[in-house]
Amino acid sequence: MRFLLTYLLVVVTALLGPVTPLAFAEDTSKVSADALSGESAILIDATTGQVLFEKNPHEKLYPASITKIATGIYAIEKGNPDDIVTVSKKARYEEGTRVYLGEGEQVPLRKLEYGLLMHSGNDAATAIAEHMHQTTERFAEELNAYLSEKVGVTETHFANAHGLHDPNHYTTASDMAKIAKYAMQNPIFREIVGTVRLPWDGKEWKSELVNHNKLLRNYEGATGIKNGFTDQAMQTLVGSAKRGNTEFIAVTMKASTSASAYKDVTSMLDYGFANFETKPIAAKGKAYTHAAAPGNDAVITYTTMDDLYATVPKGTEPLVELTEDGHLLVQGGDLHITYPLLRQDPPPVASEPRRAQLAKSLEDHSGVLYGLLFVWLAMNLFMISYTVHRTRRMRRVRNRDWQRRAY
């Protein structure tokens, strides 16, 4: 009997085992910093840039191959996709992950961008850098200046194009989220990082590129972006996904394993989709007005410079307010975002005191004005009289001449 009970217990346990984890499904209503493996992490709305979760977002860490997000968008925006790149010996023998470019091989720049972002080719990164700025060091200088100007990063310094370890090559989760947001606004970049498979026909390697980003195959609505690894950086991952009109970007840095990095990003994306949505606020050119001053009928008009959106908790209607200094403040629950507006100045209108001053000035000079009017009228009468007299005189002269010819 005891044996039978033990047997039944084993069978029941085996049957229930696979379904037991479902009872402990992860709670997507919140995300905890302690539950993430990454030393630094952040979740933002890809449209508005609204920060929805963060863990040590400004800690400077090594990025590894997520550096290639910056290299990729720089090459797309600053390079000519039809340029033919000649692969150098340095690029050919670059260490780490490669697309096996051959020395002297000539490759279109656009093809290298796919090899860079899909397959994380370090050789492609070096070939791009040398083609655009002769040396990888010069490329890094230009890349840093570009990121500062276009993206507004303040915590990033890249020393190379690929992300292989260098003590002076670092960034933060916050800056990486900004870089990824900027890059994903470019349709060519978005297309490349969203491509799952691509035939590759090279001089030394004929194969098929399979995007290293597992989210594209395993996460609903995934749109990108890039993973990375070095011994010093450990696992890094920037992931994005879009459902409906809402898209999020999640970053994790210095995670212990690849699986834990993907778990971090998945948890943050799940949290975003479960709790927030992106809503349109105003179309480009929409006007907002407020009184120029209390008790004054005049108004000041401001217009939007772009289509505006806001991130709000699901089911929340955003509150929109025009501030005194010409900004649009949008609030949804605990979230808020402020947009600058373009002031439309009306044509100048004379104030009441100014109009009164003008009227008084006309009154004071009325005598002079009447005098000028009299002189003008007299001159016109003189000219009319002179013209009539001259016309009659000429007529009499013509008549005398005619009579003399007649005799």
Side-chain angles (χ1 to χ4, degrees):
M1 183 67 177
R2 183 179 299 172
F3 173 78
L4 181 59
L5 290 174
T6 302
Y7 175 77
L8 289 173
L9 179 61
V10 171
V11 171
V12 171
T13 302
L15 291 173
L16 293 179
V19 297
T20 300
L22 296 179
F24 300 96
E26 188 172 347
D27 183 5
T28 58
S29 64
K30 58 184 177 180
V31 61
S32 166
D34 294 336
L36 300 185
S37 170
E39 193 168 308
S40 175
I42 194 169
L43 173 71
I44 69 167
D45 185 314
T47 302
T48 66
Q50 179 79 57
V51 176
L52 302 172
F53 169 82
E54 55 188 7
K55 173 186 178 182
N56 303 323
H58 304 293
E59 182 178 355
K60 292 179 180 177
L61 297 169
Y62 302 126
S65 282
I66 59 176
T67 300
K68 296 183 176 88
I69 297 172
T71 299
I73 186 59
Y74 180 83
I76 290 168
E77 290 198 345
K78 295 291 187 178
N80 181 345
D82 298 323
D83 275 0
I84 300 301
V85 179
T86 301
V87 180
S88 70
K89 182 177 181 179
K90 178 179 179 178
R92 162 64 178 84
Y93 290 99
E94 193 65 82
E95 61 180 287
T97 308
R98 300 168 49 217
V99 286
Y100 302 100
L101 299 173
E103 183 179 351
E105 182 177 359
Q106 294 191 316
V107 189
L109 180 61
R110 178 53 45 81
K111 183 177 179 179
L112 290 178
E113 291 164 2
Y114 276 90
L116 173 86
L117 293 167
M118 286 183 62
H119 197 73
S120 201
N122 293 334
D123 50 355
T126 297
I128 290 171
E130 291 181 330
H131 173 74
M132 296 187 72
H133 294 294
Q134 289 73 55
T135 68
T136 54
E137 293 79 13
R138 176 66 176 166
F139 177 86
E141 292 175 8
E142 295 296 330
L143 178 62
N144 287 323
Y146 165 85
L147 293 174
S148 177
E149 177 189 352
K150 292 288 189 178
V151 185
V153 300
T154 58
E155 304 163 333
T156 296
H157 182 270
F158 290 147
N160 56 57
H162 38 57
L164 289 172
H165 181 66
D166 185 301
N168 293 316
H169 190 94
Y170 57 82
T171 187
T172 65
S174 176
D175 270 3
M176 279 310 308
K178 293 175 184 177
I179 295 169
K181 175 182 179 295
Y182 178 83
M184 289 296 279
Q185 292 170 356
N186 185 292
I188 297 173
F189 180 93
R190 177 180 282 272
E191 177 186 343
I192 294 174
V193 297
T195 302
V196 179
R197 294 178 177 273
L198 183 76
W200 185 269
D201 187 5
K203 179 180 178 181
E204 296 186 2
W205 192 50
K206 301 183 191 305
S207 183
E208 182 183 49
L209 298 187
V210 178
N211 200 310
H212 285 196
N213 180 11
K214 298 176 184 177
L215 288 173
L216 294 175
R217 297 179 289 278
N218 300 328
Y219 192 81
E220 180 190 351
T223 52
I225 301 174
K226 188 79 186 69
N227 63 319
F229 170 80
T230 64
D231 291 336
Q232 297 82 2
M234 301 178 66
Q235 296 288 339
T236 60
L237 177 62
V238 181
S240 63
K242 184 175 184 178
R243 297 175 186 172
N245 295 321
T246 302
E247 184 173 31
F248 298 111
I249 294 172
V251 181
T252 187
M253 299 184 69
K254 206 171 183 179
S256 55
T257 66
S258 175
S260 60
Y262 279 98
K263 186 175 183 296
D264 284 358
V265 166
T266 299
S267 296
M268 286 187 281
L269 292 175
D270 285 346
Y271 168 72
F273 286 117
N275 296 280
F276 305 99
E277 59 184 329
T278 309
K279 286 195 171 185
I281 300 300
K284 180 179 180 180
K286 182 174 180 179
Y288 294 86
T289 60
H290 65 60
N296 192 332
D297 292 337
V299 296
I300 300 176
T301 302
Y302 298 91
T303 57
T304 57
M305 294 179 279
D306 298 289
D307 294 338
L308 303 185
Y309 299 84
T311 313
V312 299
K314 278 196 168 181
T316 302
E317 284 300 321
L319 301 175
V320 180
E321 177 186 357
L322 178 63
T323 64
E324 290 295 327
D325 59 350
H327 287 72
L328 200 65
L329 175 62
V330 186
Q331 291 183 299
D334 294 332
L335 302 177
H336 69 274
I337 191 168
T338 303
Y339 291 105
L341 300 177
L342 181 64
R343 177 168 174 158
Q344 304 291 339
D345 290 323
V349 178
S351 62
E352 288 297 330
R354 177 61 178 163
R355 282 196 290 267
Q357 184 180 1
L358 289 173
K360 187 176 185 306
S361 178
L362 290 173
E363 182 179 349
D364 292 342
H365 295 86
S366 59
V368 176
L369 293 174
Y370 283 127
L372 291 173
L373 179 61
F374 176 79
V375 171
W376 180 80
L377 289 172
M379 289 181 65
N380 276 275
L381 287 173
F382 171 77
M383 292 300 296
I384 292 170
S385 299
Y386 174 78
T387 302
V388 171
H389 173 74
R390 181 178 175 81
T391 301
R392 289 176 177 174
R393 184 172 178 274
M394 293 300 295
R395 188 178 298 147
R396 287 196 298 270
V397 170
R398 285 196 298 270
N399 287 336
R400 284 199 302 269
D401 290 345
W402 180 83
Q403 291 174 356
R404 287 172 184 171
R405 285 196 296 271
Y407 292 101

